[in-house]
Amino acid sequence: MMESQMESQSQPLQQPQLIVVEQHRQEMEQRQQQEQQTQDKRRRQRFWISMAILNTILIVGIVVLVVTLPGKDDEASAADASLAWQQQQQQGMSNQTTTPTRSPTRKPTTNPTNEDHTTTINPSDERTPFPVDSPDSPDDEGPTEPTNSDEFLADLLLALRLEPSYLETLPQDSYMGKALEWMLREDQQYYPIGRTMPKILLERFLLAAMYFATGGPTWQYEWEDQRSTLSVNFLKNTSVCEWIGDDYMDDQGVFCDENNSRVTEIHVQHCMEADSFPPEIAFLPDLQQLNWCNNKIAGTLPTILGSMSSLTSLSLCLNQINGTLPTELGNLSNLRSINIGVNLLTGSLPTEFGKLENLAWLELYTNDLSGVIPTAIGNMTSLREISMSENFRLSGSIPSQIGLLTNLEQFNFQQCNLNGTIPSEIGMLSSSLESVAVSKNAGLAGSIPTEMGLLPLERLYLSFTNITGPVPTELGQITSLGYVDLQETLLTGTVPSEVCALRNSSLNRLIVDCIPKPDTNLTEIECLVPDCCTECH
């Protein structure tokens, strides 16, 4: 919640203006209560009509059972009587006068029993403070002429579920305060006045908050000493769907669906800077892609990200995000891609990620993750690439459940702290696996599984491990094999001729320990250069 004690530089709105806002809010609430009463009366009327019709049906049924073989006149009389009764009930309904009114705001679904809906927006508060349209909500109409700023402010506060007193405690120099100030002072002519506007107001407010939270007024590319055109086009008095960059930056900005009615994608790279991750972005109900790679965003990932049910792609690579991965991300059943590589993440890979059955790309490379690879990874059956390299404290063995990932194409765990052996179940990926990269895992031992000969491998990186035994002849069956790095291992023997034969087709690089040792003049692996091996170490 926002702190009650504000800094001295905060400037609340004047008292007369707040009185007008409060009066307008009370009028809106009275209208809302009237509509609720009208709806309750209509429900009671429908209930009694249904009961009367049901009783009529039961009576007619009893008559049919008691009176056998009735004449046509009797049937007509019964039907006429039933029809007359229904017409009488409908006539009685039409004689009852009601005055329907339209509620300016929709009751929040998160707290149906609480009549006090005051909400204070706090960047650290991860409860949803904003209304989300239900499927039966009417579409927003086009812009109309505004009336005055007091009326606009009242509509704005109602749409955002805020009390007027909120403005008294909101510092104008906070990014939330700047967003509200912009909407009130500069952007109000875009909206119609005097009715609810949850979708338009919600999207514009959240995007404005994102803009101010990440240094929007100073956005510029690091490699060019000029202001980003994306910064110039943001906060224009146009649809948010037009808040995109110009020229070569046209792939940056806010993107909407084909009807330009909902924000579905946000791509802003190379220019954002923030000390904390702005959680308000999670309240965009239809957002499918969020790409904030190559920025300077710090802080932890808010757990509210786990409520973005429409999200399919989350790209936050090359930032300064720290803390642990929220387990709530496992709730995003539509998620297809996660890329949070090159950050400062700690902790373990959540077992809840095993619920992400539609996830195809998981990239968490170059962080400080620890713990083990959870066996729940076997449930991620849509996974095509997993990249966890350069997490130096990630330990444990490669789980045998990897054999269940029948769509896996790339398995990258280089420069971690893995131990144990390469499981033979890896051979079950005979239709998909193209790359295995586990170099620089000193604890990785055992022999190369012969089942690897069943894989459609293109690249195999096993260097700087303690893998032992001979090079399997089965590797010679992999006709797609193009790069093999076996240097600095404990392999012995001679490179099989079947593997050397691949040098005539697909195999471009083969690196092994074939340089004679100075003390014994013996080699760990015998291999002819350049006929077979391309490099000796």
Side-chain angles (χ1 to χ4, degrees), residues 11-14 17-18 21 146 148-157 160 167 172 176-191 193 201 204-205 208 212:
Q11 301 177 3
L13 296 181
Q14 297 179 357
Q17 206 171 11
L18 291 177
V21 171
N148 56 67
S149 60
D150 292 334
E151 195 170 341
F152 172 80
L153 177 59
D155 280 347
L156 175 61
L157 293 177
L160 299 178
L167 298 177
Q172 289 184 344
M176 303 285 280
K178 291 177 180 178
L180 281 175
E181 181 72 12
W182 169 76
M183 295 186 74
L184 176 63
R185 305 302 182 194
E186 303 180 31
D187 195 47
Q188 59 174 292
Q189 63 266 31
Y190 186 73
Y191 310 109
I193 299 299
L201 285 176
R204 294 182 82 83
F205 174 75
F212 288 111

Side-chain angles (χ1 to χ4, degrees), residues 424 426-427 430 448-457 460 472-481:
S424 60
I426 198 171
S430 57
I448 301 176
T450 57
E451 288 82 359
M452 276 195 166
L454 303 174
L455 303 176
L457 281 177
L460 178 60
T473 58
E474 287 79 2
L475 294 183
Q477 302 172 11
I478 309 176
T479 57
S480 56
L481 198 59

Side-chain angles (χ1 to χ4, degrees), residues 222-273:
E222 292 183 354
W223 62 83
E224 293 185 6
D225 189 17
Q226 63 181 12
R227 191 179 181 191
S228 166
T229 58
L230 184 59
S231 175
V232 176
N233 290 342
F234 247 74
L235 304 195
K236 278 190 172 181
N237 188 232
T238 60
S239 167
V240 295
C241 306
E242 299 179 22
W243 292 2
I244 59 176
D246 296 331
D247 302 328
Y248 61 91
M249 292 180 56
D250 59 359
D251 61 340
Q252 300 287 297
V254 179
F255 299 88
C256 301
D257 59 6
E258 59 183 7
N259 297 322
N260 284 338
S261 61
R262 299 285 181 176
V263 174
T264 57
E265 300 180 22
I266 298 177
H267 301 267
V268 182
Q269 303 180 61
H270 301 288
C271 56
M272 304 175 89
E273 186 170 356

Side-chain angles (χ1 to χ4, degrees), residues 93-167:
M93 283 292 298
S94 63
N95 292 334
Q96 297 179 1
T97 59
T98 59
T99 305
T101 59
R102 179 173 178 177
S103 172
T105 55
R106 181 176 289 107
K107 295 283 185 180
T109 57
T110 55
N111 190 13
T113 61
N114 188 358
E115 294 299 325
D116 183 10
H117 301 300
T118 303
T119 306
T120 300
I121 304 176
N122 188 335
S124 62
D125 188 357
E126 295 180 352
R127 296 173 299 172
T128 304
F130 306 115
V132 178
D133 287 346
S134 62
D136 60 346
S137 61
D139 293 334
D140 291 292
E141 301 171 1
T144 61
E145 195 67 25
T147 55
N148 56 67
S149 60
D150 292 334
E151 195 170 341
F152 172 80
L153 177 59
D155 280 347
L156 175 61
L157 293 177
L158 285 171
L160 299 178
R161 304 283 185 203
L162 298 175
E163 288 291 337
S165 59
Y166 172 75
L167 298 177

Side-chain angles (χ1 to χ4, degrees), residues 471 486 489 491-495 512-515 523-527:
V471 178
L486 304 177
T489 64
L491 293 170
T492 57
T494 302
V495 175
V512 298
D513 297 326
C514 51
I515 295 180
T523 61
E524 294 183 15
I525 297 180
E526 295 184 8
C527 186

